[in-house]
Amino acid sequence: MAHFVRNLTEKAPALVNAAVTYSKPQLATFWHYATVELVPPTPAEIPTAIQSLKKIVKSAQTGSFKQLTVKEALLNGLVAIKVWMWFYVGEITGKRGIIGYNV
Amino acid sequence: MVPPVQVSPLIKLGRYSALFLGVAYGAKRYSYLKPRAEEERRMAAEEKKKQDERKRMERELAEAQDDSILK
């Protein structure tokens, strides 16, 4: 037991350094993409977003959404599903448990 | 490396509003369910106590009425 603890304390910094050195480039690529793709919308972008929403509503009203190709419609559906999944991620954060409410 | 794609503001707005709605919904529902679960546990414990009491009385009654000479 004492040997194990001593080995651990001797080797742990080296292991941690190796892990950090390995993950740094991957973290860099993740950061490179995340700063563009995952940032929240700035207040200046909100009017653009509302315009896009109005366009979608109008296309639903005039029936021009039937002009979309099936491929485009499928892609839009997938994007909508991805956006809705963020709701469930938020719910997991709010209820502080992954499966079910731990009351 | 592929250059990062520019996400449309509508999608960004949708994502983050869904995230905040989710956090709010999860927290609200948790605080709604928690007292109910505690009440349920309390009722179950009381029921169990009553059951045990009843069983004990039945057992004692049965023993008292037992017509055996092998006491």
Side-chain angles (χ1 to χ4, degrees):
Chain A
M1 187 64 210
H3 283 285
F4 174 72
V5 172
R6 194 154 34 108
N7 270 344
L8 192 65
T9 47
E10 279 173 13
K11 296 207 181 126
L15 284 176
V16 168
N17 273 339
V20 168
T21 328
Y22 173 73
S23 62
K24 263 215 179 83
Q26 296 184 323
L27 279 175
T29 39
F30 171 73
W31 195 247
H32 170 76
Y33 285 115
T35 38
V36 177
E37 294 183 2
L38 286 180
V39 287
T42 66
E45 288 178 358
I46 298 185
T48 331
I50 299 188
Q51 293 286 17
S52 317
L53 194 59
K54 281 205 194 126
K55 200 157 59 110
I56 291 179
V57 169
K58 215 184 318 187
S59 95
Q61 277 175 333
T62 63
S64 67
F65 66 91
K66 295 181 210 155
Q67 308 290 340
L68 286 173
T69 68
V70 173
K71 181 170 170 179
E72 277 180 21
L74 275 175
L75 288 175
N76 289 349
L78 280 177
V79 170
I81 290 177
K82 275 204 290 185
V83 167
W84 189 240
M85 284 302 140
W86 281 53
F87 174 81
Y88 293 117
V89 171
E91 189 185 350
I92 286 178
T93 315
K95 67 181 180 179
R96 291 159 213 266
I98 298 189
I99 300 179
Y101 289 82
N102 295 330
V103 281
Chain B
M1 269 204 308
V2 183
V5 76
Q6 291 291 346
V7 188
S8 103
L10 175 62
I11 296 182
K12 279 196 254 190
L13 189 67
R15 272 186 196 155
Y16 279 93
S17 40
L19 188 72
F20 287 128
L21 280 174
V23 174
Y25 174 75
K28 276 252 171 64
R29 193 155 167 81
Y30 183 78
S31 60
Y32 169 79
L33 286 176
K34 201 170 167 64
R36 283 170 187 250
E38 278 170 5
E39 185 68 27
E40 177 76 34
R41 272 196 287 259
R42 198 176 58 82
M43 296 299 297
E46 267 185 37
E47 273 301 315
K48 184 168 156 48
K49 213 163 53 131
K50 283 204 200 106
Q51 287 274 9
D52 286 344
E53 190 68 30
R54 234 178 291 153
K55 259 196 279 239
R56 195 176 61 83
M57 313 244 30
E58 274 183 23
R59 203 160 27 94
E60 286 189 6
L61 203 58
E63 269 187 31
Q65 288 176 341
D66 204 357
D67 289 339
S68 157
I69 58 173
L70 298 169
K71 274 286 196 271

